[in-house]
């Protein structure tokens, strides 16, 4: 059955029922927030022991360097080795930074724009136009960086096994196309994992721009919602095998593993790319917070230590995702007014509602005290031409609030669809 094909009498009966439900929802005076993928307090508490590390007098790394002092732009070796094992990158090609990989991504774009990359014939600011590929739906903070620098953002659809690589290969024949954003594992917001086949195609394809870069933001590589950890593809090896060793700028972070505001970021790439990065980073600063890095290495102990911690995260997160999916199915499944993802990891559920109603759903939810990420946020410039996509972030609130919020969202989806059907 589809709500949009109901006979007028049946539609009127359903409309009266849903409007009554919505009035009751507003009367509750809710203050619920599903806007961002933040860890909950219970998740943050899993890493409280980190606050006691590295411990009194424990400030020297394996090479004998005093971590309290300046220097070591590459970061603490012990942590780079541990994290390199997790994300399948040679630790010699991996840098450990401060708390935000987003900061590194901003620097990479900024420095390419100002100075050009190590493969650039000129700074990107001297190009007539810089174009950037954005898989959609995608991550709003990625898009915001390239929007800030005035890039022309061109979109490709995100498919079940990664972005449309044929579309990407065609776009890359334009020399003004300088790169693309990509979250390869449990992507934001769809939860998609890119296939090895598509990864190799991205590594091998010819591009008109010699300095074409793919920001491989592997933010959710270990963020499973199950007991299983999917294989992390050795993207730098694949790039080298594909004949374009400088193509990928690989990112990772412990921000949602330990403390979101004070984790450790990681940047992996070819030796040539890292030399270019460090040349500029060495002027911007004199080294990252190595005490925090060393404390993380002590806290994790090993790559398996990280995996065990992530299983405990999953124990807290998985019931919230399961409840959200159950409620959406119970409330919306029979009406054909929405589709939603069923991710095995990551932080989000991506929901598509009836075309032309996502903004109305957002408005109805807001008026009922349920704040959602603004409709269209998963698209460049916040413009979803179909006005259908809504990103649900279910990690932060307690379980009971998640269930109440998702039930309320379902009411709003139904009401918006009814309003459209009524014309």
């Amino acid at each position: 059955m589809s709500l949009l094909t109901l006979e007028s009498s049946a539609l009127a009966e359903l409309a009266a029922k849903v409007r009554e439900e919505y009035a009751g929802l507003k009367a509750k005076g809710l203050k619920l927030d599903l806007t961002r993928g933040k860890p909950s307090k219970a998740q943050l508490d899993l890493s409280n022991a980190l606050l006691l590390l590295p411990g009194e007098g424990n400030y020297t790394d394996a090479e004998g360097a005093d971590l309290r002092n300046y220097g070591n732009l590459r970061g603490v070796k012990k942590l780079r080795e541990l994290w390199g094992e997790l994300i399948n990158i040679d630790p010699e090609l991996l840098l450990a930074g401060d708390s935000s990989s987003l900061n590194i991504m901003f620097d990479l774009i900024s420095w390419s724009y100002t100075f050009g990359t190590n493969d650039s014939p000129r700074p990107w600011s001297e190009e007539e136009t810089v174009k950037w590929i954005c898989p959609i739906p995608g991550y709003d903070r990625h898009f915001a960086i390239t929007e800030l620098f005035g890039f022309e953002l061109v979109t490709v659809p995100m498919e079940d096994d990664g972005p449309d690589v044929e579309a990407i290969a065609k776009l890359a024949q334009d020399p003004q196309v300088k790169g693309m954003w990509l979250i390869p594992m449990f992507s934001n917001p769809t939860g998609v994992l890119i296939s090895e086949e598509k990864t190799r195609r991205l590594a091998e394809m010819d591009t008109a721009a010699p300095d074409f870069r793919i920001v491989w933001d592997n933010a959710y590589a270990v963020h499973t919602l199950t007991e299983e950890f999917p294989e992390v593809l050795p993207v730098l090896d694949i790039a080298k095998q594909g004949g374009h060793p400088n193509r990928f700028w690989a990112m990772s972070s412990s921000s949602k593993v330990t403390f979101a505001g004070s984790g450790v970021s990681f940047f992996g790439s070819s030796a040539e790319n890292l030399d270019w990065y460090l040349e500029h980073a060495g002027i911007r600063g004199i080294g990252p917070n190595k005490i925090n890095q060393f404390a993380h290495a002590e806290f994790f102990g090993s790559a398996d230590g990280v995996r065990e911690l992530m299983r405990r995260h999953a124990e807290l997160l998985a019931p919230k995702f399961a409840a959200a999916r159950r409620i959406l199915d119970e409330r919306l499944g029979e009406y054909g007014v929405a589709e939603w993802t069923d991710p095995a990891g990551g932080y989000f559920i991506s929901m598509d509602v009836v075309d032309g109603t996502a903004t109305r759903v957002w408005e109805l939810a807001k008026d009922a005290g349920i704040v959602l990420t603004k409709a269209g946020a998963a698209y460049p410039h916040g413009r979803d031409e179909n006005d259908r996509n809504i990103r649900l972030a279910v990690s932060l609130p307690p379980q009971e609030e998640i269930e109440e919020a998702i039930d309320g969202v379902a009411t709003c989806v139904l009401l918006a669809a009814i309003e459209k059907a009524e014309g």
Side-chain angles (χ1 to χ4, degrees), residues 327-374:
I327 293 167
L328 291 173
D329 187 59
E330 291 173 353
R331 294 292 316 282
L332 302 177
E334 66 178 298
Y335 295 111
V337 294
E339 296 179 347
W340 50 91
T341 56
D342 185 11
Y347 262 68
F348 304 98
I349 295 172
S350 180
M351 180 169 64
D352 286 341
V353 296
V354 174
D355 282 9
T357 68
T359 299
R360 181 58 177 154
V361 171
W362 178 83
E363 291 170 347
L364 288 167
K366 182 181 178 183
D367 289 345
I370 304 170
V371 186
L372 305 176
T373 304
K374 197 163 186 179

Side-chain angles (χ1 to χ4, degrees), residues 23 35 48 108 146 189 195 222 262 264 293 317 345 357-358 370 376 384 390:
T35 55
N48 281 345
L108 290 167
T146 36
S195 66
V222 294
S262 53
V264 179
Q293 292 182 6
L317 282 170
T357 68
I370 304 170
D384 173 6
I390 294 172

Side-chain angles (χ1 to χ4, degrees), residues 240-272:
K240 187 174 181 180
Q241 293 161 10
H244 301 103
N246 293 348
R247 175 153 296 172
F248 291 91
W249 288 333
M251 304 294 147
S252 186
S253 170
S254 75
S255 290
K256 289 185 176 72
V257 176
T258 55
F259 300 140
S262 53
V264 179
S265 60
F266 298 89
F267 172 40
S269 200
S270 66
E272 186 178 331

Side-chain angles (χ1 to χ4, degrees), residues 217-230:
D217 186 7
N218 218 350
Y220 305 104
V222 294
H223 287 270
T224 181
L225 292 172
T226 71
E227 286 285 316
E228 302 301 319
F229 291 88

Side-chain angles (χ1 to χ4, degrees), residues 113-226:
Y113 187 80
T114 306
F115 310 112
T117 75
N118 41 297
D119 291 320
S120 299
R122 65 191 68 83
W124 290 358
S125 59
E126 296 179 10
E127 299 285 353
E128 181 179 348
T129 305
V130 176
K131 300 177 183 178
W132 200 264
I133 299 170
C134 302
I136 54 172
Y139 182 29
D140 53 341
R141 291 192 180 274
H142 281 169
F143 301 155
I145 293 174
T146 36
E147 287 167 10
L148 182 65
F149 285 89
F151 293 5
E152 180 182 331
L153 305 187
V154 291
T155 61
V156 297
M158 181 66 86
E159 300 173 333
D160 290 341
D161 61 346
D164 183 342
V165 293
E166 295 305 319
I168 292 167
K170 289 178 182 177
L171 289 169
Q173 299 314 300
D174 180 350
Q176 310 253 260
V177 174
K178 293 293 188 180
M180 67 176 286
W181 297 113
L182 183 59
I183 300 176
M185 301 183 68
F186 302 133
S187 76
N188 178 353
T190 61
V192 164
L193 282 79
I194 191 171
S195 66
E196 181 175 348
E197 179 184 356
K198 286 195 169 182
T199 302
R200 291 192 179 277
R201 181 73 179 93
L202 291 173
E204 295 166 358
M205 69 181 185
D206 292 326
T207 63
D211 49 354
F212 182 89
R213 295 290 188 265
I214 297 174
V215 181
W216 183 267
D217 186 7
N218 218 350
Y220 305 104
V222 294
H223 287 270
T224 181
L225 292 172
T226 71

